[in-house]
Amino acid sequence: QKEVEQDPGPLSVPEGAIVSLNCTYSNSAFQYFMWYRQYSRKGPELLMYTYSSGNKEDGRFTAQVDKSSKYISLFIRDSQPSDSATYLCAITGEGYQGGKLIFGQGTELSVKP
Amino acid sequence: GAVVSQHPSWVICKSGTSVKIECRSLDFQATTMFWYRQFPKQSLMLMATSNEGSKATYEQGVEKDKFLINHASLTLSTLTVTSAHPEDSSFYICSERGLVGDNEQFFGPGTRLTVL
């Protein structure tokens, strides 16, 4: 079983739709959760960083963590064509292997005008 | 968040030559940097952890003699791909951790290496 599972998509939605991106993880010791956005041929950009169960909101983006189910989500409201990118979840634990992140496979999102 | 730069952004080289990629922390001193490679349509694969003033820690399966990492200062880490071959063609990305005690990483813009 992989440490982090993420549906690779691709996911195609119309402009204005609500997008839900999800990851599951297997190790309950993981306690820090990140979502990155990566445009084609660019480095990943940190979107959200959270370490507790519940929701964290930043503009149109909401990160949700359910530690009991080992399930994390990223919601994008009022999606825009500029949101078209690959979204990667990443997790780690306190002092985990020198700060290594475990990445999901990435979900490719396309928002159509 | 932290600001990381990489140079060059794109390099083409002949098979058998060596290529050096620089990763710089622009806004604070980074004692730890990470080097990743990414193939098309795939996720990031950690190659090594670079610690200032000490030898890098390589992931299983990554040849340390082929991918030389130097982290001589708190703001600069370099990755040298020695005797490059076409199968080394990939997207190489470095990252640094946030402030002490934080767990997120901030990534550079990446370097696209094409070996002919």
Side-chain angles (χ1 to χ4, degrees):
Chain A
Q1 182 184 8
K2 288 184 178 180
E3 292 183 287
V4 181
E5 298 272 6
Q6 181 177 6
D7 186 341
L11 181 62
S12 183
V13 301
E15 183 175 355
I18 297 174
V19 176
S20 173
L21 304 166
N22 311 293
C23 289
T24 58
Y25 61 97
S26 57
N27 190 339
S28 58
F30 292 137
Q31 54 196 149
Y32 301 102
F33 310 96
M34 286 141 273
W35 285 95
Y36 288 88
R37 176 176 64 194
Q38 186 177 24
Y39 292 113
S40 181
R41 303 192 177 199
K42 301 290 184 183
E45 171 193 9
L46 180 65
L47 282 178
M48 302 289 277
Y49 169 54
T50 184
Y51 48 84
S52 58
S53 284
N55 294 348
K56 180 178 181 179
E57 190 173 316
D58 185 0
R60 296 185 295 111
F61 298 91
T62 299
Q64 187 176 83
V65 175
D66 182 347
K67 290 187 177 181
S68 62
S69 301
K70 301 188 187 67
Y71 191 87
I72 63 174
S73 301
L74 178 71
F75 298 98
I76 307 174
R77 291 185 300 280
D78 186 26
S79 57
Q80 302 295 309
S82 58
D83 295 328
S84 297
T86 297
Y87 291 80
L88 298 138
C89 64
I91 60 175
T92 190
E94 186 67 46
Y96 179 76
Q97 298 189 25
K100 284 171 57 174
L101 298 183
I102 308 298
F103 282 92
Q105 299 95 310
T107 300
E108 186 179 350
L109 171 68
S110 177
V111 181
K112 303 295 186 183
Chain B
V3 181
V4 181
S5 71
Q6 277 184 246
H7 177 80
S9 57
W10 193 4
V11 56
I12 301 173
C13 70
K14 293 182 178 180
S15 185
T17 61
S18 295
V19 174
K20 180 185 284 188
I21 302 170
E22 294 185 348
C23 176
R24 291 184 184 274
S25 173
L26 299 182
D27 54 351
F28 67 83
Q29 297 173 334
T31 56
T32 302
M33 289 185 173
F34 302 88
W35 285 96
Y36 296 83
R37 66 189 298 181
Q38 186 178 36
F39 292 106
K41 303 290 186 182
Q42 294 189 22
S43 190
L44 283 76
M45 184 191 81
L46 179 66
M47 299 175 68
T49 302
S50 170
N51 296 296
E52 187 268 337
S54 64
K55 291 183 178 181
T57 302
Y58 290 82
E59 294 300 300
Q60 190 173 8
V62 178
E63 299 176 59
K64 62 180 180 181
D65 294 329
K66 180 168 183 63
F67 299 100
L68 301 178
I69 291 173
N70 184 281
H71 194 159
S73 78
L74 287 171
T75 59
L76 175 65
S77 177
T78 61
L79 168 67
T80 301
V81 183
T82 63
S83 187
H85 291 282
E87 57 265 31
D88 298 323
S89 298
S90 188
F91 194 51
Y92 292 87
I93 316 171
C94 67
S95 72
E96 65 177 10
R97 295 182 68 173
L99 297 175
V100 174
D102 288 345
N103 296 279
E104 70 270 47
Q105 291 180 20
F106 298 93
F107 289 84
T111 296
R112 183 162 303 280
L113 171 64
T114 301
V115 184
L116 302 177

